[in-house]
Amino acid sequence: MPAKERHYSPFWIPSLSMSELVKTTLDHESTDMLIDKWLEHRGSGHDAYHEWFLDVRERKHAASQRKQIIAWTKGEFVPENIFCRTVDTGRLIPLDRTWTTHVFHHRSMSDRKLSMMPVVFTMLPELMLLRGMHDSGCDEVYVIVTDLKRQEMDDVTDYFKMVCRHSYGRTQLKPSMEQRIQFEHMRLSHTLVRQRRTPCFPQIDLTFRALLYEKRPRFLVLFSHQTTSYSQIFFTHPSFVPDEDIFYDYPTGCPNPCCTEDCEMIRFPRRGLGNAAILDVKRGGKKFGRKIRAKQMCNWIECDVCFFEESLPSSSSSSSSSSSAGGSENGDRPLGQVCSKCRLVRYCSREHQKLDWPEHQRVCAKVAFV
């Protein structure tokens, strides 16, 4: 018998094969080209991003191998001289690692032969930082292009947060919650149809949830090219959110110097968990992938020695410490050796410290700690 045809439903697990959006992929070479182009136009004394990195350069770092930091101690303003602490392995790695971007958009953009490179270029510094925060799992970045206005983006954000909290990975819902999801889905669908938005909301919903189920990204971007709106970054775990102690004054992306903090092209979580769009994504088992675990690993990129590991609670868990959700698992793990100069990284052996030195020397410096 032929396979039963799948139909779209806001309550069923969707498949990317059902999506009618066109996927355009920008490979590592395209990302490198965009970064070079961005550096040509950035770095002047009047550039907000360059000024922010200069300000971060002057800040004192906490003497910890686990806290998020951005370190730029030597050299000119280029990604290979700016290092970021990864949230998954605790390594200090430069921002020069590229990625592949998959952009999903309405077919009308292909008909008009519009390039997707400006979409990525618009949020390149944000993607560079978010990519740098992860040692693994961010080699591919997913973006859905829309033309949502500000209030519509707010409503769509609230909808996805509600759906992930109450229905992600669940086969049965309470009747009251099922009615609420159905109502919000219909309301958003009718609103976007009346405003002639592309793509329609069912296609946005289908592609968005299919990416969560099939690709399990660390973060996902809902991009809007409306000048009066913003682009939303969705995080799939609280530990993936940038630390507010570092990014509290991060630029809004708006080129107008007279604009306030509310005028932002990219909704970057400058206040950490306080204003981040976090999706309560179920994890564990074969169906939903591994649970999120924080590690402290040897800073040599090819080493798999782990000094510390603990389970992290999801956003739906209690607000207790992460150790209560699984606890640390040190056991007989080696303590490792801390770099005596910068005290920001740890190694399992002197040999691996020497192997990592050609890269680490670009950031290693004796600095004052808070």
Side-chain angles (χ1 to χ4, degrees), residues 114-326:
L114 297 179
S115 172
M116 292 298 107
M117 296 189 73
V119 171
V120 178
F121 187 81
T122 301
M123 49 187 172
L124 191 63
E126 288 79 13
L127 294 181
M128 207 161 25
L129 286 168
L130 293 175
R131 169 67 181 95
M133 287 175 57
H134 298 272
D135 199 352
S136 60
C138 281
D139 291 329
E140 295 182 298
V141 174
Y142 301 93
V143 180
I144 301 176
V145 178
T146 72
D147 57 356
L148 300 176
K149 289 192 174 181
R150 178 173 290 268
Q151 185 58 53
E152 295 163 352
M153 184 67 79
D154 290 341
D155 293 342
V156 169
T157 298
D158 291 339
Y159 174 82
F160 284 130
K161 291 167 67 174
M162 176 183 66
V163 167
C164 288
R165 185 183 307 115
H166 297 286
S167 71
Y168 186 92
R170 296 172 175 84
T171 56
Q172 291 185 342
L173 294 175
K174 293 182 179 179
S176 58
M177 181 52 61
E178 185 173 334
Q179 292 177 4
R180 182 180 174 188
I181 292 176
Q182 184 71 52
F183 173 79
E184 288 298 321
H185 186 279
M186 293 176 61
R187 185 181 69 84
L188 287 170
S189 299
H190 293 162
T191 299
L192 300 193
V193 167
R194 287 197 306 269
Q195 300 298 327
R196 297 185 179 181
R197 302 283 180 247
T198 55
C200 63
F201 182 68
Q203 283 298 321
I204 296 175
D205 175 54
L206 188 158
T207 307
F208 188 96
R209 291 190 296 116
L211 287 170
L212 291 180
Y213 278 105
E214 296 182 14
K215 304 301 181 181
R216 302 190 183 101
R218 301 296 191 267
F219 64 92
L220 199 158
V221 181
L222 202 58
F223 181 87
S224 175
H225 52 72
Q226 287 277 359
T227 56
T228 58
S229 184
Y230 64 92
S231 299
Q232 181 67 275
I233 305 173
F234 292 88
F235 298 90
T236 56
H237 195 275
S239 66
F240 302 155
V241 178
D243 193 339
E244 63 178 324
D245 292 338
I246 302 174
F247 297 95
Y248 64 88
D249 59 346
Y250 187 78
T252 63
C254 181
N256 187 349
C258 300
C259 285
T260 64
E261 288 189 357
D262 294 330
C263 180
E264 48 192 351
M265 295 178 64
I266 310 293
R267 181 62 61 85
F268 197 82
R270 299 192 301 277
R271 289 181 288 276
L273 300 177
N275 71 328
I278 304 174
L279 303 176
D280 192 354
V281 175
K282 183 178 179 180
R283 296 180 184 273
K286 295 182 179 180
K287 190 174 181 180
F288 302 109
R290 296 179 179 179
K291 292 185 177 181
I292 302 301
R293 308 179 74 84
K295 299 179 181 180
Q296 174 62 51
M297 301 187 68
C298 173
N299 204 63
W300 170 233
I301 195 68
E302 296 185 13
C303 179
D304 57 0
V305 172
C306 182
F307 308 120
F308 178 87
E309 182 176 359
E310 65 179 348
S311 300
L312 296 177
S314 66
S315 56
S316 61
S317 303
S318 60
S319 58
S320 58
S321 64
S322 58
S323 59
S324 65

Side-chain angles (χ1 to χ4, degrees), residues 8-9 29 31 63-64 67 80 100 142 178 183 214 249 316:
Y8 165 72
S9 168
E29 292 184 0
T31 305
S64 170
K67 185 178 177 63
E80 52 263 33
T100 298
Y142 301 93
E178 185 173 334
F183 173 79
E214 296 182 14
D249 59 346
S316 61

Side-chain angles (χ1 to χ4, degrees), residues 28 30 41 82 118 188 210 217 242-243 366:
H28 289 261
S30 299
H41 297 83
I82 303 173
L188 287 170
D243 193 339
K366 190 174 182 178

